[in-house]
């Protein structure tokens, strides 16, 4: 229940999440309230069905892939910490974070991590490579039945050709970064969280 | 022992006399002794005082509290074309093979995550969040210790609500409902004549007024000159079954709905004797033609009361208006839109039917502070020439949303229980496809 939001979340947990994700205290408590209202099973974790119940997400062509990003390999439940860790990728990069000396571990919302999130949407089998087949499947999710196989195939071929530098007909994460180096990832993969 | 029971009996008698004299009789004839006004004044003062105290205690968190009501994120509202256009600015359109870049998924990811953090639909099916605590342990603002004074007031509030107001209100609602059943049944025996219509209306309104007092309802009606007239359909936004009591306090309507069992069934059967309501059997509801035909017949008979319909088809938490089902707009009669807006400060009027049963919902309402609401009668609307029912329904919906200060949503309220239709996803895919291949090349491809 939403009304228990602030009481069920222990202060230490909030501190821990704050450190890991960079969200503020009030953002964490409010996201917890959102988390509990999505949690229809009321067991402290979200399942894929809980996500699919959001209509705007259900109509998103990549909805299933985005939901999948919340679940570690082989698991079908995500707890609040995991939920926050995935959301943290979309925190904007603040000015003071940019200028600071790089911290020991890379923050979840860094450019690289934002790109990694996008990369994994395409990387269906999680082998750190986007093959032609994987790209085709994701393309098919995005366009539905509206584009012919031939045409989609040539789009996939061209995309891989453009990105592939070592000639293995796959896109590695390094190649992915290279292709998107001119794109304003920091802004396009960020959501304006209010305080 | 006998003395004790005599005492109880005596107390009960006095209690009932007081109810009859101070509440029932004024309710029957529609005037007020000013008791509820005094109660409301005290209540408003108390809540203002409490808000002030809470704000003082939270002075340092003030800024965070202020934004709490405005949601968690600020959403981008750019169209798919615009946003993808921006993403592709850095690279030229390839000569062959369609316009796709790996960064196109950024748009979908951000939209997806935004909807996970804060979506337009699911939050409409849970109670509205309040700016500050209203001394009720309801909704998202739970009991919080702020100061001894406030806690005492809170405790006193519990006593008043549960020990004084609740028994009084329950008695009133019971009397109101019994009266409705007896009254309408009795009127039903009269032959059809003017006296019957007049009496029927009087009994209905009287019972609803008693019930409204049972909820301490303070209702402000605006623009009474636009009140629904006979031979029309009144459509309103839907928050809870209490909407009916609210509207019927100011005039009679013919109800449309399904025949229920149990207590509701008894009330329904009694009501239909005195006044032509339109009740359907469950099996009949499926037959759209039959429903439309019966409604059309009702509307065409100009002596019959205006029909009251809630076209959203489900209860919404009173912050928005969702899609209107087109059925009632296909009949082609005059539509009288009505906007109802409750004041959430005094109690949460929203019936979360998947969480609470009808009875427990009513008990919650009767132990809240009060029910304060505004009702706006809007000018009659007609279907324009060449306008289809869906468009007309949307037009009426936006008028209601605008007047009630509610968010106008396109989504179907049925999503509360059902999954979203695949066609909506297909629309998104189609839109994206046309950006990838362009409209000209898609026609060449086949």
């Amino acid at each position: 229940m939403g009304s228990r939001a602030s009481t069920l979340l222990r202060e230490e947990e909030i501190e821990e999440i704050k450190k890991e994700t960079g969200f503020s205290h009030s953002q964490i408590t409010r996201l917890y309230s959102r988390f509990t209202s999505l949690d229809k099973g009321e067991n402290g974790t979200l399942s894929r069905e809980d996500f699919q119940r959001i209509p705007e997400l259900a109509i998103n062509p990549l909805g299933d892939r985005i939901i999948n990003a919340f679940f570690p390999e082989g698991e079908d439940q995500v707890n609040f910490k995991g939920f926050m860790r995935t959301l943290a990728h979309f925190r904007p990069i603040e000015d003071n974070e940019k200028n600071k000396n790089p911290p020991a571990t890379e923050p979840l919302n860094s450019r690289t991590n934002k790109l990694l999130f996008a990369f994994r949407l395409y990387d269906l089998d999680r082998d750190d490579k986007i093959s032609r087949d994987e790209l085709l499947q994701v393309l098919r999710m995005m366009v539905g039945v509206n584009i012919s196989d031939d045409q989609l195939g040539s789009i996939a071929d061209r995309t891989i050709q453009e990105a592939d530098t070592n000639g293995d007909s796959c896109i590695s994460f390094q190649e992915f970064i290279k292709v998107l180096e001119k794109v304003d990832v920091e802004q396009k993969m960020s959501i304006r969280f209010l305080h | 022992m006998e003395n004790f029971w005599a005492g109880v009996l005596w107390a009960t008698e006095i209690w009932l006399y007081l109810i009859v004299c101070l509440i029932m009789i004024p309710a029957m004839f529609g005037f007020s002794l000013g008791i509820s006004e005094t109660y409301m004044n005290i209540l408003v003062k108390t809540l203002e005082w409490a808000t002030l105290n809470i704000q003082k205690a939270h002075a340092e968190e003030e800024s965070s509290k202020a934004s709490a009501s405005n949601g968690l994120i600020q959403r981008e509202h750019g169209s798919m074309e615009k946003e993808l256009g921006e993403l592709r600015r850095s690279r030229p359109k390839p000569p062959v093979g369609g316009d796709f870049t790996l960064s196109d998924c950024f748009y979908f990811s951000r939209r997806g995550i935004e909807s996970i953090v804060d979506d337009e639909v699911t939050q409409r099916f849970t109670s509205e969040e309040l700016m500050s605590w209203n001394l009720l342990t309801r909704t998202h603002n739970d009991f919080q210790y702020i100061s001894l004074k406030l806690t005492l007031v809170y405790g006193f509030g519990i006593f008043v609500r549960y020990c004084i107001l609740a028994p009084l209100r329950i008695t009133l609602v019971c009397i109101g409902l019994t009266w409705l059943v007896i009254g309408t049944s009795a009127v039903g025996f009269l032959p059809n004549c003017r006296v019957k219509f007049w009496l029927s209306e009087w009994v209905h309104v009287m019972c609803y007024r008693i019930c409204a007092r049972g909820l301490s309802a303070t209702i402000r009606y605006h623009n009474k000159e636009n009140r629904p007239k006979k031979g029309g359909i009144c459509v309103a936004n839907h928050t809870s079954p209490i909407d009916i009591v609210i509207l019927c306090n100011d005039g009679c309507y013919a109800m449309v709905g399904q025949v229920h069992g149990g207590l509701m069934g008894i009330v329904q059967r009694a009501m239909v004797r005195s006044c032509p309501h339109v009740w359907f059997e469950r099996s009949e509801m499926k037959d759209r033609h039959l429903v439309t035909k019966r409604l059309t017949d009702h509307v065409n008979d100009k002596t019959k009361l205006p029909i009251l319909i809630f076209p959203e088809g489900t209860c919404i938490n009173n912050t928005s208006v969702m899609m209107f089902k087109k059925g009632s707009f296909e009949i082609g009669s005059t539509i009288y839109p009505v906007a109802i807006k409750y004041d959430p400060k005094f109690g949460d009027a929203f019936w979360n039917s998947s969480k609470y049963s009808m009875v427990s919902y009513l008990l919650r309402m009767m132990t809240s502070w009060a029910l304060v609401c505004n009702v706006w009668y809007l000018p009659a609307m007609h279907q324009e020439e060449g306008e289809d029912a869906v468009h007309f329904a949307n037009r009426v919906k936006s008028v209601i949303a605008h007047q009630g200060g509610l968010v106008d949503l396109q989504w179907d309220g049925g999503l509360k229980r059902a999954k979203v239709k695949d066609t909506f996803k297909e629309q998104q895919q189609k839109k994206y496809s046309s950006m990838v291949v362009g409209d000209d090349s898609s026609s060449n491809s086949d």
Side-chain angles (χ1 to χ4, degrees):
Chain A
M1 254 179 71
S3 60
R4 305 278 174 265
S6 51
T7 49
L8 262 182
L9 199 60
R10 290 202 318 275
E11 208 54 42
E12 311 89 85
E13 284 178 287
I14 297 181
E15 279 306 315
E16 215 174 291
I17 294 169
K18 204 164 146 183
K19 216 181 275 167
E20 191 181 356
T21 63
F23 282 114
S24 75
H25 193 285
S26 83
Q27 284 168 341
I28 294 171
T29 49
R30 275 153 62 206
L31 282 167
Y32 188 66
S33 156
R34 172 69 175 168
F35 179 84
T36 44
S37 72
L38 291 176
D39 176 19
K40 291 281 184 253
E42 296 191 354
N43 53 4
T45 59
L46 297 185
S47 64
R48 284 187 166 76
E49 287 73 47
D50 285 328
F51 283 101
Q52 274 150 3
R53 230 173 263 124
I54 305 170
E56 281 167 59
L57 188 60
I59 69 162
N60 191 317
L62 288 182
D64 285 334
R65 294 300 304 149
I66 294 164
I67 293 170
N68 215 49
F70 283 86
F71 297 90
E73 181 104 59
E75 287 188 34
D76 50 7
Q77 297 286 324
V78 57
N79 62 12
F80 183 56
K81 248 193 216 162
F83 179 73
M84 292 300 280
R85 218 175 283 138
T86 308
L87 290 186
H89 288 86
F90 287 83
R91 228 165 48 78
I93 302 173
E94 284 154 26
D95 289 338
N96 55 1
E97 287 174 270
K98 262 187 212 157
N99 304 330
K100 231 172 21 189
N101 295 330
T105 53
E106 197 169 354
L108 288 166
N109 63 342
S110 68
R111 181 186 170 96
T112 315
N113 274 328
K114 284 178 192 292
L115 282 170
L116 190 58
F117 182 96
F119 180 78
R120 292 208 171 128
L121 292 180
Y122 295 105
D123 182 17
L124 301 175
D125 59 6
R126 305 193 188 206
D127 67 346
D128 297 322
K129 276 197 297 251
I130 305 172
S131 66
R132 178 179 190 267
D133 193 42
E134 285 171 324
L135 185 58
L136 265 181
Q137 283 186 48
V138 176
L139 274 168
R140 185 52 79 196
M141 288 178 206
M142 288 160 86
V143 302
V145 294
N146 301 292
I147 296 181
S148 69
D149 281 339
D150 288 350
Q151 205 165 0
L152 217 54
S154 75
I155 291 175
D157 287 338
R158 180 186 51 73
T159 308
I160 289 183
Q161 212 172 43
E162 270 177 18
D164 186 21
T165 47
N166 62 0
D168 65 351
S169 302
C170 286
I171 305 175
S172 69
F173 185 48
Q174 292 313 318
E175 290 164 344
F176 190 76
I177 294 178
K178 187 84 181 72
V179 167
L180 297 175
E181 68 184 349
K182 288 207 190 90
V183 181
D184 186 3
V185 180
E186 288 86 347
Q187 201 236 324
K188 293 295 167 196
M189 286 289 277
S190 292
I191 295 171
R192 274 192 271 172
F193 285 95
L194 301 171
H195 296 291
Chain B
M1 198 61 196
E2 259 176 36
N3 273 344
F4 171 74
W5 286 114
V8 170
L9 203 68
W10 180 79
T12 326
E13 249 174 61
I14 297 286
W15 179 241
L16 283 176
Y17 282 139
L18 276 179
I19 289 183
V20 170
C21 294
L22 294 181
I23 302 173
M24 296 267 297
I25 294 179
M28 279 181 187
F29 299 101
F31 65 88
S32 167
L33 295 174
I35 299 172
S36 58
E37 281 79 0
T38 321
Y39 169 66
M40 284 311 297
N41 280 336
I42 297 172
L43 197 59
V44 170
K45 290 258 159 61
T46 316
L47 287 179
E48 273 174 8
W49 174 81
T51 312
L52 213 68
N53 269 274
I54 294 169
Q55 276 172 356
K56 255 190 238 159
H58 287 290
E60 70 277 13
E61 295 172 37
E62 190 61 18
S63 52
S64 66
K65 273 272 164 351
S67 62
S69 60
N70 303 332
L72 263 160
I73 50 168
Q74 186 167 0
R75 301 187 70 146
E76 307 283 327
H77 286 288
S79 66
M80 188 190 280
E81 285 85 356
K82 184 173 154 279
E83 298 218 2
L84 286 179
E86 280 175 23
L87 275 169
R88 291 166 176 185
R89 205 187 288 150
S90 59
R91 67 187 285 283
K93 192 175 163 37
V96 286
D99 196 8
F100 163 79
T101 89
L102 286 166
S103 60
D104 284 356
C105 74
F106 291 4
Y107 166 79
F108 294 111
S109 320
R110 194 173 65 183
R111 274 297 153 92
I113 298 288
E114 275 179 349
S115 61
I116 289 170
V117 173
D118 187 15
D119 77 306
E120 277 184 326
V121 187
T122 56
Q123 53 162 330
R124 309 293 172 186
F125 304 140
T126 57
S127 297
E128 184 183 356
E129 288 192 48
L130 291 179
M131 287 283 265
S132 77
W133 186 38
N134 61 353
L135 302 179
L136 292 173
T137 44
R138 306 279 160 79
T139 67
H140 291 267
N141 282 341
D142 209 348
F143 173 76
Q144 24 190 300
Y145 183 82
I146 286 147
S147 67
L148 183 65
K149 253 194 304 186
L150 219 56
T151 309
L152 284 177
V153 171
Y154 168 69
F156 182 66
I158 289 189
F159 172 74
V160 170
R161 285 189 287 122
Y162 284 87
C163 301
I164 299 178
L165 290 178
L168 177 74
R169 288 171 178 172
I170 292 167
T171 326
L172 277 176
V173 169
C174 289
I175 294 174
L177 285 181
T178 325
W179 200 208
L180 186 66
V181 174
I182 298 173
T184 48
S185 305
V187 172
F189 287 118
L190 294 175
N192 278 336
C193 61
R194 285 179 67 100
V195 182
K196 178 179 174 177
F197 292 137
W198 183 81
L199 265 179
S200 155
E201 207 163 314
W202 188 65
V203 169
H204 271 95
V205 171
M206 179 170 68
C207 297
Y208 286 122
R209 282 194 182 132
I210 295 173
C211 290
R213 280 169 204 232
L215 298 159
S216 300
T218 307
I219 315 163
R220 270 175 238 115
Y221 297 98
H222 305 267
N223 306 81
K224 281 206 177 193
E225 69 277 7
N226 295 327
R227 259 178 19 186
K229 295 175 187 68
K230 283 182 177 161
I233 295 177
C234 168
V235 297
N237 56 315
H238 199 17
T239 311
S240 94
I242 291 177
D243 292 340
I244 298 170
V245 178
I246 300 288
L247 288 177
C248 290
N249 257 273
D250 195 41
C252 263
Y253 295 92
M255 315 284 172
V256 179
Q258 210 175 50
V259 178
H260 289 262
L263 179 68
M264 272 301 281
I266 299 173
V267 176
Q268 282 181 325
R269 275 196 293 278
M271 279 164 77
V272 80
R273 277 194 201 108
S274 73
C275 170
H277 296 289
V278 192
W279 302 131
F280 293 98
E281 298 292 340
R282 182 178 275 274
S283 55
E284 290 176 323
M285 283 302 267
K286 298 240 165 60
D287 188 349
R288 286 179 55 88
H289 289 289
L290 182 84
V291 173
T292 317
K293 188 178 177 306
R294 278 184 64 184
L295 291 184
T296 316
D297 290 347
H298 185 107
V299 171
N300 287 340
D301 186 345
K302 297 291 175 210
T303 61
K304 288 186 176 168
L305 293 169
I307 297 178
L308 174 59
I309 290 179
F310 299 106
E312 284 166 306
T314 188
C315 299
I316 314 289
N317 75 353
N318 212 228
T319 59
S320 66
V321 189
M322 290 208 171
M323 188 188 90
F324 279 7
K325 305 243 185 310
K326 63 176 194 280
S328 28
F329 299 89
E330 281 171 335
I331 294 162
S333 80
T334 316
I335 298 282
Y336 297 94
V338 172
I340 309 174
K341 175 73 186 159
Y342 294 90
D343 189 337
K345 227 172 24 216
F346 302 97
D348 179 23
F350 167 59
W351 181 32
N352 192 346
S353 54
S354 43
K355 210 160 152 189
Y356 303 107
S357 71
M358 182 72 192
V359 173
S360 72
Y361 164 74
L362 283 178
L363 285 177
R364 281 167 69 87
M365 284 317 300
M366 284 188 246
T367 52
S368 290
W369 290 117
L371 192 70
V372 177
C373 83
N374 283 295
V375 174
W376 287 274
Y377 294 112
L378 293 155
M381 293 177 78
H382 300 270
Q383 194 164 5
E384 274 162 15
E385 228 167 278
E387 188 180 36
D388 64 349
V390 175
H391 190 267
F392 182 38
N394 279 332
R395 203 155 54 90
V396 174
K397 177 176 65 128
S398 64
V399 168
I400 291 179
H402 179 74
Q403 179 63 67
L406 308 161
V407 182
D408 187 356
L409 293 178
Q410 303 292 325
W411 291 93
D412 184 354
L415 290 172
K416 194 195 247 180
R417 286 170 231 288
K419 279 213 169 148
V420 61
K421 284 199 201 102
D422 285 336
T423 49
F424 289 99
K425 188 172 187 167
E426 283 157 20
Q427 273 171 20
Q428 296 282 316
Q429 291 170 328
K430 196 162 185 181
K431 204 161 145 196
Y432 178 69
S433 307
S434 72
M435 292 199 59
V436 170
V437 292
D439 291 325
D440 47 333
S441 57
S442 67
S443 54
N444 294 342
S445 64
D446 48 31

